[in-house]
Amino acid sequence: MREKGTLRISYKKKGKVEEFEMQAPLDADEATVLLHVLSRCDRSKQPSVDTDWHATGTDRIRPQLEALGISEVEWEYL
């Protein structure tokens, strides 16, 4: 079983700073963090995004976050 820690994720959504904490494996990568941010968004309010289905990892997730006005995603383990 992978060791977990408390991960603090912060980002700007339309210029306003938002943050949350969660339990996550200590080896969480950028794609994992971005997916957690995306999963917190209200899906009914998400705009349609032309996704490049050949892209992988962060290249696939970033356009979706940008369409929601999300930028400057940062994270740290506490």
Side-chain angles (χ1 to χ4, degrees), residues 16-70:
K16 180 183 171 197
V17 176
E18 297 190 21
E19 112 178 355
F20 63 97
E21 294 177 5
M22 60 177 290
Q23 290 294 304
L26 292 176
D27 60 351
D29 62 1
E30 182 178 12
T32 301
V33 170
L34 296 179
L35 279 172
H36 282 294
V37 172
L38 186 61
S39 72
R40 293 181 57 88
C41 298
D42 183 352
R43 299 234 186 265
S44 67
K45 295 180 181 177
Q46 290 184 7
S48 177
V49 177
D50 186 18
T51 303
D52 178 0
W53 293 106
H54 297 288
T56 59
T58 59
D59 291 338
R60 192 177 205 168
I61 303 166
R62 283 191 184 283
Q64 296 174 60
L65 292 173
E66 290 168 3
L68 293 167
I70 295 173

